[in-house]
Amino acid sequence: MSNTPAWSAAFDRGSLEEVVGLPIDRVREWAFGGSTGADIKVAVVDSGIDADHPRVGGIAGAVAFELDPDSDLGYVDREGPHDDLVGHGTACAAIIRSLAPEAEIYSVRVLGANLKGRGALLHAGVRWSVEHGMQVANLSLSSKSETMFGPLHEVADEAYFSGTVLVCAANNLPGPTYPSQYASVVSVAARPGDEEMALAYNAHPPVEFGARGIDVDVAWADRGSITATGNSFAAPHVTGMVALMRGKHPWLTPLQVKAVLQAASINSVTG
């Protein structure tokens, strides 16, 4: 798999090992069948969302975190509609919508026009998602900063214990990738294929799941679309699956969600 994002090689079909999954008959039907993601709150922590993009079809709410040196925290949060400064968040939201059409999607903007942001804003966006009862949060972004390892780890644990499933894309480049390397999150890298619901499990983490993320037709800025490759676009496929699963089985904990995702992977067998 040349010219693919970092962490993707583990999901090459020749590299996949069989893993033992939960003994649930027809696990994919049990997990996803008949669900639309209705009543499930999904936060897209990213560059914003174009709510008017035809592939998004509206959002349930929005908040933007912006740097402010005059604030005690160093940033402010602004509730209300906002633009997508790049197109990246819109791409993620549209993928989620394609799988979970009735999910309630919230835009949590933490990235700037250069698709970069401070770790403190990422941390604030995750905390907002937890405090506002998001059942799932899509993080198609990460931090390589060692200073953010502890704070992001702490808020990822808060999400895990409070019931918010964090679906985190690994960085496209080798090296540290937080929070996707934490055991408390659902970590995702890209793998080839056209099937939106295809999923593979990596028996040798830290990145546990591989989903569609190579040459994907995604929504973008100005109500347009592009063909893109990246772990960023694999994560929302998994987020959509989690929204379907929690819409059908709202009692599932983050621990149970991960176990069912593993059981629903193409390389999972019943022990």
Side-chain angles (χ1 to χ4, degrees), residues 236-249:
H237 283 91
V238 180
T239 297
M241 289 183 234
V242 174
L244 294 178
M245 190 192 309
R246 300 202 87 178
K248 191 173 181 181
H249 307 288

Side-chain angles (χ1 to χ4, degrees), residues 28 94-95 98-99 193-199 211-212 237-238 241:
R28 294 182 69 84
I95 291 171
S98 71
L99 274 77
D194 296 326
E195 174 53 53
E196 283 192 316
M197 296 282 286
L199 191 66
R212 186 183 183 214
H237 283 91
V238 180
M241 289 183 234

Side-chain angles (χ1 to χ4, degrees), residues 21-22 24 27-28 30-32 199 209 241 245 249 251-265 268:
L22 296 173
I24 301 175
V27 62
R28 294 182 69 84
W30 182 90
F32 313 120
L199 191 66
F209 294 96
M241 289 183 234
M245 190 192 309
H249 307 288
W251 47 268
L252 287 171
T253 67
L255 171 64
Q256 292 168 324
V257 165
K258 291 183 72 172
V260 175
L261 286 173
Q262 188 229 39
S265 297
S268 180

Side-chain angles (χ1 to χ4, degrees), residues 45 65-67 73-76 109-110 117-128 143 145 147-148 151-152 155:
V45 184
F65 289 89
E66 302 171 355
L67 295 175
L73 296 173
Y75 63 83
V76 294
R109 194 173 75 187
V110 299
R118 296 289 181 86
L121 300 186
L122 171 56
H123 182 274
V126 176
R127 172 149 282 149
W128 185 94
S143 174
S145 170
T147 61
M148 290 307 302
L152 286 174
V155 76

Side-chain angles (χ1 to χ4, degrees), residues 20 31 62 83 186 219 232 250:
V20 178
D83 296 328
V186 176
S232 286

Side-chain angles (χ1 to χ4, degrees), residues 1-254:
M1 295 175 64
S2 59
N3 300 319
T4 56
W7 309 96
S8 295
F11 302 101
D12 186 357
R13 286 188 178 275
S15 303
L16 286 177
E17 297 180 19
E18 286 190 345
V19 293
V20 178
L22 296 173
I24 301 175
D25 291 337
R26 301 176 65 204
V27 62
R28 294 182 69 84
E29 176 63 25
W30 182 90
F32 313 120
S35 179
T36 62
D39 300 321
I40 297 302
K41 295 180 178 180
V42 181
V44 177
V45 184
D46 213 288
S47 61
I49 297 175
D50 177 2
D52 295 326
H53 196 290
R55 295 197 195 178
V56 174
I59 60 176
V63 60
F65 289 89
E66 302 171 355
L67 295 175
D68 183 348
D70 296 325
S71 168
D72 291 341
L73 296 173
Y75 63 83
V76 294
D77 61 282
R78 305 186 192 282
E79 298 270 357
H82 55 240
D83 296 328
D84 182 344
L85 299 178
V86 182
H88 193 266
T90 299
C92 295
I95 291 171
I96 295 166
R97 180 70 75 204
S98 71
L99 274 77
E102 294 193 66
E104 299 176 10
I105 297 178
Y106 291 75
S107 178
V108 183
R109 194 173 75 187
V110 299
L111 295 176
N114 58 358
L115 210 57
K116 295 184 182 297
R118 296 289 181 86
L121 300 186
L122 171 56
H123 182 274
V126 176
R127 172 149 282 149
W128 185 94
S129 301
V130 174
E131 293 176 347
H132 286 77
M134 301 292 119
Q135 285 104 322
V136 197
N138 188 86
L139 278 65
S140 287
L141 71 172
S142 63
S143 174
K144 302 181 77 171
S145 170
E146 291 295 332
T147 61
M148 290 307 302
F149 176 89
L152 286 174
H153 205 306
E154 180 182 24
V155 76
D157 282 351
E158 289 179 18
Y160 182 84
F161 292 128
S162 70
T164 299
V165 177
L166 301 184
V167 180
C168 303
N171 198 298
N172 288 328
L173 301 175
T177 172
Y178 314 128
S180 71
Q181 289 185 214
Y182 305 151
S184 57
V185 310
V186 176
S187 52
V188 186
R191 62 186 301 272
D194 296 326
E195 174 53 53
E196 283 192 316
M197 296 282 286
L199 191 66
Y201 182 78
N202 177 21
H204 305 284
V207 180
E208 294 182 286
F209 294 96
R212 186 183 183 214
I214 309 294
D215 295 330
V216 182
D217 175 41
V218 299
W220 206 252
D222 300 321
R223 302 190 183 183
S225 64
I226 62 172
T227 299
T229 290
N231 297 334
S232 286
F233 310 114
H237 283 91
V238 180
T239 297
M241 289 183 234
V242 174
L244 294 178
M245 190 192 309
R246 300 202 87 178
K248 191 173 181 181
H249 307 288
W251 47 268
L252 287 171
T253 67

